[in-house]
């Protein structure tokens, strides 16, 4: 599966946990941040291609009272230091039952990132490890790439329009798609 070749790509939005960094459930400790293999290189390739970059992440740890927004921001800053830099961070602090518009798979984080990046949402690609990530992309009008992990459910893989084996392959799909359109 490949990205649609009918529109340009101006930016990439990454999920944080299990996409850019090894998932530590409810992590709000910068010392526990470990990039997934190849993350730094993949992000650097996207940046070198001139794409605007951002992170869209659900962080219900805040709503659950297990961490403060400041602790999550410090953790995100560590991710930025190890893997970034990113042009924008959009964080949903709500829990699943809060009914907000920002929690993935709702489109709010993707729409907010598009506005900050000044990139039309249709020109964004969201890369993540679960159905909520690609669902948020679809709901916002962006494209999505699923990078499954052992925790990704089979039905999420089956429902994804585009699936990549790892983060580097996902970025390669974005860059190849971009190269085809601009050639």
């Amino acid at each position: 599966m490949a990205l649609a070749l009918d529109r340009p790509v101006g930016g990439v939005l990454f999920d944080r946990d299990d996409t850019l960094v090894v998932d530590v459930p409810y992590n709000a400790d910068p010392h526990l941040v470990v990039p997934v293999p190849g993350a730094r290189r993949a992000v650097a390739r996207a940046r070198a291609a001139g794409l605007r970059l951002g992170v869209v992440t659900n962080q219900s740890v805040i709503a659950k009272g297990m961490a403060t927004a400041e602790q999550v921001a410090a953790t995100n800053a560590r991710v930025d230091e190890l893997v970034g830099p990113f042009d924008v961070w959009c964080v949903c602090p709500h829990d699943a039952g809060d009914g907000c518009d920002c929690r993935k798979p709702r489109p709010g984080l993707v729409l907010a990132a598009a506005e900050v990046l000044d990139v039309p949402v249709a020109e964004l690609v969201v890369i993540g490890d679960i159905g909520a990530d690609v669902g948020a992309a679809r709901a916002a009008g962006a494209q999505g790439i699923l990078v499954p992990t052992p925790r990704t459910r089979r039905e999420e893989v089956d429902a994804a329009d585009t699936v990549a084996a790892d983060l580097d392959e996902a970025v390669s799909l974005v860059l190849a798609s971009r190269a085809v359109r601009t050639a």
Side-chain angles (χ1 to χ4, degrees):
M1 291 183 265
L3 294 177
L5 298 178
D6 60 350
R7 53 182 152 168
V9 176
V12 178
L13 303 176
F14 298 91
D15 171 56
R16 187 186 91 173
D17 300 316
D18 257 359
T19 300
L20 292 173
V21 298
V22 175
D23 185 38
V24 174
Y26 304 114
N27 186 27
D29 181 348
H31 298 98
L32 299 179
V33 172
V34 176
V36 299
R40 186 174 185 82
R41 178 179 179 276
V43 171
R45 289 177 58 224
R47 187 181 316 102
L51 295 169
R52 302 295 310 267
L53 305 179
V55 178
V56 289
T57 180
N58 289 345
Q59 293 298 319
S60 64
V61 66
I62 298 168
K64 293 179 187 308
M66 299 166 64
T68 66
E70 293 76 18
Q71 288 170 307
V72 169
T75 303
N76 292 344
R78 181 66 175 152
V79 176
D80 209 60
E81 177 186 331
L82 294 175
V83 181
F86 297 96
D87 300 308
V88 65
W89 279 81
C90 293
V91 177
C92 173
H94 305 106
D95 209 347
D98 289 346
C100 66
D101 289 331
C102 54
R103 186 171 176 82
K104 296 179 289 181
R106 292 182 190 96
L109 293 177
V110 177
L111 296 172
E115 186 173 326
V116 172
L117 294 174
D118 195 28
V119 173
V121 71
E123 295 182 14
L124 290 175
V125 177
V126 179
I127 300 174
D129 66 301
I130 61 172
D133 300 316
V134 295
R138 188 177 295 124
Q143 295 185 84
I145 301 176
L146 184 71
V147 179
T149 68
R151 294 183 325 146
T152 309
R153 296 189 324 261
R154 181 77 229 165
E155 58 267 22
E156 293 173 314
V157 176
D158 292 344
D161 294 326
T162 306
V163 179
D166 57 31
L167 192 55
D168 197 55
E169 182 180 308
V171 170
S172 291
L173 288 170
V174 171
L175 298 180
S177 173
R178 196 164 187 240
V180 169
R181 279 192 294 284
T182 60

